[in-house]
Each structure stands twice: as structure tokens, then as C-alpha cells.
Amino acid sequence: MVRKLTLISIVTFVITMSLWYSAHSRTRNKVGVNHNVYHTKHGKHKKVKDRKKESNQKIDKAMKPIIDNRSRPNVTNEKNTKLLEKLAENCKKSMGHYGLDSITIGNQPYNGNKLVKGITLVYNDQPKCICNLAPFCGEDFWKLLLARTQGLKYKKPSIGQINRALHYMKTLSKSDFVDRLKTSKKVLLTRDPLKRMIAAYKDAFEGKVVRAEIKDVVLSINSFFKRQPNSTSVITFPEFFRYIASSPSNPTANRLWGPLTNPLMVCDIKWDYIYSIENHNDDFKYIQSGLGFEIPKGVPPAEFKSNLIIPDTEIAKYYERVDKKALSKFYKLFKLDFEIFNYKMT
């Protein structure tokens, strides 16, 4: 009986120990599997983080030039290059040369005032450039832009405040003048002569206020049409155009509305950029990419007024009542503007 109980106890003990060992092994294996899974996931997570970090570093490296040069986007403009080539070709054809090693007017020695008579050349240091401020060719925008780079802070500056902030080439000595031309990038403002006349007329006679200098020209226009000096007759665009085509002797009229190629010896200077107000967005973007105009902190931006752009449809609107004789005279007077700047008489 005792032996039987002892045997049962031993068998029970062995079974119990087997079950316990089996259960303990499963638990240990489960813990081991979980432990391995944890490490596997942790390792995978770490690898993912490493890949993201590496990817971000590549993105940052690629973006760095863009961030560092955000004011000077990398823009190429084949059109500008072709226009410059055409300008050189047209100058050689019409004037016999393009660019001079020494600045002269024909065979005459340098004369800064004569070179910039009527059209003003201004220079800038940051960035180092020269610009011809041609009337009704985007002149107002460029004057304000250059004045802003000089630190002009007035929110709505007067014309006098803007002009005083600019640096004029005619104030330089001959050596400084020539040095500036050699070391500065040069921006040429141009415009279709027909559109320029529309812009000039709008400025003079379609605005709310007639400027004092325009009142002086009105006397000359009234005299041309044999009216009384104090006549209040509305000056129409065809009349304005006929007056300009007649090559008036009034100095203000010539300065504001005369041909661009006569007072400024366009072909004596080798230009780096050509700007047209009708193509402002593309042209200025390209010029900005090369020069990088930067306005000092705290100085308001130079805003471009898109309403100054003359669409092609307005040519027909304004010129439909202009007689052919006036158009013919105008073309002869502005022939170099058409030929050198590569515009067509529509």
C-alpha cells in the first residue's frame, strides 16, 4: 500500500514538473519572441528615422542655394540676348558703330551734359548699374526702385524727393564717367514709339491734374493750331500726335515726347539688359536675377503699376482717327527709334 502511494506520488511529481517546465518554456519563449519583436521594430524605426534625416539633409542642401539667393532667382532670357544682338546689328546698320572705347560724340571730345541731354543716365552702387531714364518707358518705376535701394523711406515720396535720391552720370568727371561705363551693368529702357505716345497723352491730358510743365506745352500746342493762348479747347489725341510729328521746338515737349535715339547716343554704349514696360514681369525678373536689387530693411518696396502697360488693342483705339500724313511725318522723325529698337510701324 505504501509502495503504491509512493509510486503515485512520484508519477504525480514527474507529471507536475513536466507540465510546469513546459509552461515555463512557453512563457520564456513568448517573452523572447516579444523581446525580439521589440528590438526588430526598434531597429526598423531607427532605420526609418535615419533615412528621413538623410533625405531632409539632401533637401536642405538642394534648397540652400535657393534660400541664399532668393532675391536673385536663376533666370535665363534668350529673348534679351537676341534683342541685344539685334540692337548691335541695327546700330551698326543705322549709325555705323555700336559702343565706343572712349566716350565721344562723333569727333567731339567727351561732354557729359551733351551725352545725356534730354534723357538722363543715372548710376547706382548697390547693385552697380547704370540706367537710362527714358520718359514713358517705365521711368517712374525705375526711379523709385533706385531711390529705394539708396534708402528713400518716404511711403509716398514726391518727385523732388525721388530725384534727389538718385545719382546722375552728368555730375561725374570724364574719368569717373568712363570708369562707371566700363565697370557697371547697363540697363536700356525702350518702348514702342506708338505706345509711348499713347502713354504720354494719357499722362498729360487724361489725368485728374495737369502738371505745370504740361500747361507750358499747351500754350505751344494752341499756337501750333492757331488758337488763343488761353484756349480751353480739349486737345484730342490726333491733335497731340500731329503736334509731336511736326518736330516742335518746345524744349519740354522734346524732352518728354521726343525720339529717344536723338538726345541719347544709344549706340555709343554697350548695354547689358533691355527692358520694355509692356514685358515688365519677364524683363525685370531677368534683370533682377543678374543684378539683385536689394531694398534696405525698413524701406517700403518699389511697386510697379500694371495699369501703365498699353495693350495692343489700344493702338487701334487711339490711332484710328490719325491721318496718314501725320503718321508718315512721325515715322520719319522717330525712324531711328523704330529701326534701332526693332519696332514696326503698325
Side-chain angles (χ1 to χ4, degrees):
M1 184 70 178
V2 173
R3 285 181 180 180
K4 189 176 181 180
L5 288 173
T6 301
L7 181 61
I8 293 172
S9 298
I10 291 171
V11 171
T12 303
F13 174 77
V14 170
I15 293 172
T16 302
M17 290 299 295
S18 297
L19 292 173
W20 176 85
Y21 181 78
S22 178
H24 179 70
S25 296
R26 284 196 301 271
T27 303
R28 185 177 62 181
N29 289 339
K30 187 176 181 181
V31 170
V33 169
N34 288 339
H35 181 69
N36 290 336
V37 169
Y38 167 76
H39 282 292
T40 302
K41 287 184 177 179
H42 181 70
K44 186 177 180 180
H45 179 65
K46 188 176 181 181
K47 288 180 182 178
V48 170
K49 284 182 69 177
D50 288 342
R51 283 199 297 269
K52 285 184 177 179
K53 184 178 180 181
E54 185 180 348
S55 177
N56 289 336
Q57 286 175 343
K58 288 181 179 179
I59 293 171
D60 291 342
K61 186 177 180 181
M63 286 294 291
K64 195 174 188 301
I66 299 173
I67 296 169
D68 291 347
N69 297 286
R70 57 189 177 278
S71 62
R72 301 179 67 177
N74 183 21
V75 180
T76 58
N77 193 330
E78 292 182 7
K79 181 182 177 183
N80 189 81
T81 302
K82 289 180 180 178
L83 286 174
L84 287 170
E85 291 174 352
K86 195 67 178 177
L87 175 67
E89 179 186 328
N90 293 339
C91 277
K92 290 174 183 178
K93 182 180 178 181
S94 301
M95 304 295 290
H97 70 276
Y98 178 62
L100 296 176
D101 294 332
S102 59
I103 305 304
T104 59
I105 305 298
N107 295 321
Q108 299 299 314
Y110 162 87
N111 183 319
N113 287 320
K114 188 174 182 180
L115 181 65
V116 296
K117 180 183 177 183
I119 304 296
T120 306
L121 287 175
V122 295
Y123 67 89
N124 205 54
D125 288 318
Q126 295 295 332
K128 196 169 186 180
C129 64
I130 294 172
C131 181
N132 75 310
L133 298 180
F136 307 106
C137 295
E139 172 197 28
D140 291 340
F141 167 74
W142 280 92
K143 286 173 73 172
L144 182 58
L145 173 66
L146 295 175
R148 292 298 192 203
T149 64
Q150 299 298 323
L152 184 67
K153 291 185 177 181
Y154 298 101
K155 189 173 182 179
K156 294 183 178 180
S158 65
I159 295 174
Q161 289 169 335
I162 294 174
N163 289 336
R164 286 190 292 272
L166 302 175
H167 302 307
Y168 299 90
M169 290 286 285
K170 64 183 178 182
T171 64
L172 299 174
S173 65
K174 178 179 179 178
S175 59
D176 289 341
F177 190 101
V178 174
D179 180 66
R180 284 275 174 185
L181 281 177
K182 289 181 177 179
T183 60
S184 301
K185 295 294 184 180
K186 293 163 284 291
V187 182
L188 176 64
L189 308 190
T190 69
R191 195 173 201 174
D192 180 340
L194 296 176
K195 289 186 177 183
R196 184 167 163 248
M197 290 303 103
I198 295 174
Y201 178 78
K202 284 184 170 185
D203 171 77
F205 304 109
E206 290 186 355
K208 295 180 180 179
V209 180
V210 178
R211 301 194 307 276
E213 62 179 353
I214 300 300
K215 291 178 180 179
D216 174 62
V217 183
V218 168
L219 296 176
S220 177
I221 295 174
N222 285 335
S223 174
F224 177 79
F225 288 104
K226 298 179 180 181
R227 297 172 181 156
Q228 293 296 320
N230 59 351
S231 173
T232 57
S233 298
V234 175
I235 297 173
T236 65
F237 180 77
E239 289 175 336
F240 168 77
F241 190 81
R242 278 180 59 194
Y243 173 74
I244 298 301
S246 70
S247 186
S249 58
N250 184 281
T252 302
N254 281 324
R255 175 173 59 83
L256 293 175
W257 309 325
L260 300 180
T261 49
N262 290 352
L264 175 67
M265 307 308 287
V266 173
C267 296
D268 284 358
I269 299 173
K270 287 187 177 180
W271 303 90
D272 298 286
Y273 301 99
I274 292 181
Y275 169 88
S276 171
I277 187 173
E278 263 71 50
N279 196 40
H280 170 82
N281 290 337
D282 290 339
D283 286 357
F284 183 70
K285 187 177 181 181
Y286 176 63
I287 295 170
Q288 169 72 340
S289 72
L291 296 179
F293 293 97
E294 294 183 6
I295 296 176
K297 188 177 180 180
V299 176
E303 296 181 355
F304 175 74
K305 297 179 181 178
S306 58
N307 64 323
L308 297 177
I309 295 175
I310 306 294
D312 292 343
T313 52
E314 290 205 23
I315 292 180
K317 173 185 173 183
Y318 277 86
Y319 285 92
E320 63 182 357
R321 291 184 293 112
V322 174
D323 61 75
K324 292 183 179 180
K325 187 177 179 180
L327 286 168
S328 178
K329 285 184 175 181
F330 180 82
Y331 180 76
K332 289 178 181 178
L333 181 62
F334 284 77
K335 185 179 179 181
L336 287 178
D337 279 25
F338 281 104
E339 290 181 350
I340 291 176
F341 298 140
N342 204 40
Y343 288 109
K344 304 296 181 183
M345 185 71 171
T346 305

